[in-house]
Amino acid sequence: MSAPDSTLIEVRDAAFGYGGNAVVEDVNLTVKRGGFLAVLGPNGGGKTTLLRGLLGTLKPMRGEVRQANGGRLRFGYVPQRESLDPIWPVTAMEVTLMGAYGRALRRMGLPLGRAERELAAECLDRVGGTDFQRRLYSELSGGQKQRVLIARGLMTKPDMLLLDEPASGLDVSAQHELIELLGRIRSGGDLTIVMISHHLARLETLADKVAWVHSGRVEVGPAETMLSAEKIHEVFFE
Amino acid sequence: MRETLYQLLGPDALFHNSVLASIIVGMICPLVGMFFVMRRTIFLGVALPQVSSAGIVSAFWLHSLGIHFLGHSETERGTALLGAGLFTVLAIVALALLERRGRGLVEGRTGAIYALSAALAILFTAGNPTGEMHIGNMLRGEIVAVADADLALLMTTYGAVALLVTLCRRALVLVSFDRDVAQTILRLPWAWDLVLYGVFGVTISVGVMIVGPLALFGFLILPVLTVLPWSRGLPSLTIGACGIGCVTAFCGFAIANAQNLPVGPTDVALAFGLFALSALARAVVRR
């Protein structure tokens, strides 16, 4: 199987799960460079499992996941912000700099270089986080935390930014700000975005492809058809 | 004051080695203990020194039965280090394997290992005077007679631990703070866990042998808890906790020396006093 040039990830007949039990099966999808794939579906349907499969942190039980660049894609992963323990006294800037830790291993104990610090400041600026860069991450609001995690994702210089329910728990205003932010990030280059979301509002303006994850299956199609009222009714009520 | 300092730190001072050993343990343990606190595995920080103590006593017990692992000429310290290291490594490997299987409660497993090692430490001393003497000294935390060889061992191992944690701090922090992201940007994230567990094993095996489980646990945890509410970033937490540990070790030794008290419990009581003051001050500031 060979991936076309613009394809970053190609999944063929794959099943993902844990302990020998498949959570999602017969997954067939491609993620193209510069695309925006929204992963939607009911709770417990396997959205995060699919995301882990795309990231490569969960190996397929069957089938194949093929990444471009010989499997050396750079991912900017934005986990659910509740998964981070507030006991850590880390500032927004320190969290952002963690995105460079993979590159910085060769510097071992030495401080991160000036270029990395400038890039972190730039990433925070891009998400509107300059004002709170010195504040503790645990003291930030939900929307601010989400911005910092996105800045950390950008700090990895990613081919693909993967967000796991970034709008979850945010108020309506913060959700709108987040969607606008993602729109701005996307318009700034050929960054590919994969986002799990429960919030359908304004998604059609961002996503060009939608994957519905439900009943252990993944259905992928263009945003216009997959976000239609009939499709939503089919997923949730049939 | 100057006289007291000279009595404790002067090259010919009676307790020169013991003071230095206390300060080294007080300064380096919080660097490692930070990971116990931040990963919310403080109970592991209590259990592993106890496991290590059981290892020391069991080695003496086997020695008394005529079973020698290092040959007949083995030293008491060699025996103790072997027992401490072996038991600690076995406990860490067992806990890591059980965690990998992901069944049961982490606290339950750690508690069971703590209970077993506490029981073994007492059982192995039955009819074993050498072991009984050692466990008595360990529990009392008598840090008054540290031989040159022990001090050299402590300086070497704790120096290596400090260097390793400093060099690898970014990877160790990332695997502890956000495992999911660590898996996507670090190669072999499990290898960094292995490094961290290795650091735990060495710090505890050698530390228990020199200062005992009580003082070791105190220095691993209390300085970190004292500084944590005031920390505005990881560097301030690290430097603050190591500084508090260092000062506590020195002052604790001076107080114990002046009042004829056992050093380990004096250190821990002093460290707790600082922790209580910090918590009180934080509560006042928050109001």
Side-chain angles (χ1 to χ4, degrees), chain B residues 136-202:
Chain B
N137 282 340
M138 273 194 310
L139 288 177
R140 277 194 296 276
E142 297 283 14
I143 319 168
V144 287
V146 176
D148 287 345
D150 289 344
L151 185 62
L153 173 72
L154 185 72
M155 288 169 90
T156 311
T157 51
Y158 273 42
V161 161
L163 189 67
L164 193 64
V165 172
T166 306
L167 292 181
C168 304
R169 67 182 184 278
R170 284 193 276 265
L172 299 179
V173 163
L174 190 59
V175 291
S176 304
F177 176 65
D178 193 340
R179 190 161 186 81
D180 287 338
V181 165
Q183 281 186 313
T184 66
I185 64 175
L186 296 179
R187 284 181 196 168
L188 309 175
W190 56 266
W192 295 109
D193 273 335
L194 208 64
V195 169
L196 193 58
Y197 284 129
V199 162
F200 289 166
V202 169

Side-chain angles (χ1 to χ4, degrees), chain B residues 241-264:
Chain B
C242 292
I244 292 270
C246 183
V247 170
T248 306
F250 181 76
C251 295
F253 203 101
I255 294 168
N257 186 42
Q259 302 298 320
N260 201 22
L261 296 168
V263 179

